[in-house]
Amino acid sequence: MNKDLVTIFELEDADVADLLALAKDMKANPGAYRTRLAGQTLAMIFEKSSTRTRVSFEVGINQLGGTGLFLSSRDIQLGRGEPLSDTARVLSRYVDGIMARTFAHQSVVDLATYASVPVINGLTDFNHPCQALADLQTIAEHHGDLRGRKLAYVGDGNNVAHSLMMACARTGMDFACAAPSGYRMDADYVAKARALADRHGVTVVETTSPAEAVAGAHVVYSDVWASMGQEAEQKKREQDFVGFQVDQALMAQAASGAIFMHCLPAHRGEEVSAEVCDGPQSVIYDQAENRMHMQKAIMLRLMER
Ligand code: CP
Ligand code: NVA
C-alpha cells in the first residue's frame, strides 16, 4: 500500500483484496492482533462531528495495543490558522499515524503530503474511503463474492457516493447512482471510476430514476440529503429530493435477497423510511461494527513497522 489512505482510487485492486481478507480475520480472531501496534499513537483530527469514526478508530487502535489521541480542530492551533503543513510536520514528530476528518478534501491531501507518518482520510466533503471499504466487508458477509453484484445508491451524489462508486469499480461490482439533477456526482471522478469499471467489465450508471437504479440491485444504499456543512440547505434539499426516499416499494424492485445499507447517521422519514431502516433487509449495525474491523486492518497495514 501507499503511505496514506486518501481515496480508494489510489489503492490497487490487490490492496483492497488484502484489506478485506485481513479485516475478516481480525474480526474472527481479534486476540491474535492485540499487540501489533503496541506503543503506537494515532492522532485523530476532527473538524466535524463523529460518533462511529471517532469511537471505532479509538477503540480499534486500543485493541491493537496503541493509543488514540482525539484532537478537535477547535482546540488545536489548526483552528486558529496554523498551517496544515506545520501541523502535519509537528504531529509527525510525536505520533505514528494521523486520521483526519475535514471539510475540504485538499486538507487531507495536504496533511498526507507534509506528514512523514501515514495519514488516513476519516471523511472529507469529497470522499469517505473507510466507510466504503468497511461496506465492502459487510456486503461480502451477506452476499459472498462481490464480483458481479450490483449496488444502487439513491440520493445525493456526495462523499459516500463517490467512495462507494470507486469501491465497486475496484472490486468488479456494478454501480448505479440515482440522484436528482443538480445533485450528481463529480464528473471527473465518475470518469475515473468508469475507466476502472471498464477494466473489470462492470458499469457505472447515473440516472435520475431510483427505480431504474435499484432494478436487479443486491444492495440498496442511502445517505442523508444534507451532509455536514450543508445544514442551511436542508429545507431546499427536502423539496429537491422528493421521490428519492428508499421505502418498501422501492426495495421490492431490487433483486430478491437485497440488503439495505446506510452509513449513518440516518434521518428516518427522509432518505429512508423507518420500515426499511429498521426492517429485516437492513444491515446498518453490521456496517457500523465493520468500520472498526476494517480500520484496524487499515491501521495495521499502514502503521506496522
Ligand atoms: N458513518 C460515519 O462516518 O459516522 P460518523 O459521522 O458518526 O463518524
Ligand atoms: N454524507 C454524510 C456522511 C456522514 C457519515 C456527511 O458528510 O455528513
Side-chain angles (χ1 to χ4, degrees), residues 229-242:
Q230 299 170 334
E231 289 77 6
E233 297 172 31
Q234 175 69 29
K235 285 281 161 265
K236 175 174 175 15
R237 284 170 176 258
E238 280 175 26
Q239 289 159 12
D240 293 347
F241 282 86
V242 167

Side-chain angles (χ1 to χ4, degrees), residues 49-54 101 128 131 228 263-265 291:
S49 305
S50 171
T51 298
R52 280 144 290 270
T53 305
R54 177 183 174 178
R101 166 169 287 194
H128 197 1
Q131 180 71 52
M228 289 181 276
C263 56
L264 303 180
R291 291 290 304 281

Side-chain angles (χ1 to χ4, degrees), residues 16 31 41 59 78 93 108 146 155 188 197 208 231 236 264 273 276 278:
V16 175
T41 302
V59 173
L78 186 63
R93 301 287 179 108
V108 168
L146 296 174
D188 290 342
T208 53
E231 289 77 6
K236 175 174 175 15
L264 303 180
S273 69
V276 169
D278 303 314

Side-chain angles (χ1 to χ4, degrees), residues 259-287:
I259 53 175
F260 169 74
M261 298 182 79
H262 193 304
C263 56
L264 303 180
H267 293 182
R268 290 165 177 80
E270 292 181 30
E271 74 274 7
V272 59
S273 69
E275 198 185 11
V276 169
C277 200
D278 303 314
Q281 290 167 288
S282 175
V283 300
I284 56 176
Y285 304 117
D286 294 339
Q287 290 179 258

Side-chain angles (χ1 to χ4, degrees), residues 48 101 123 128 158-160 223-224 226-228 263-265:
K48 304 183 184 185
R101 166 169 287 194
L123 180 148
H128 197 1
N158 63 14
N159 44 10
V160 171
D223 185 14
V224 290
S227 284
M228 289 181 276
C263 56
L264 303 180

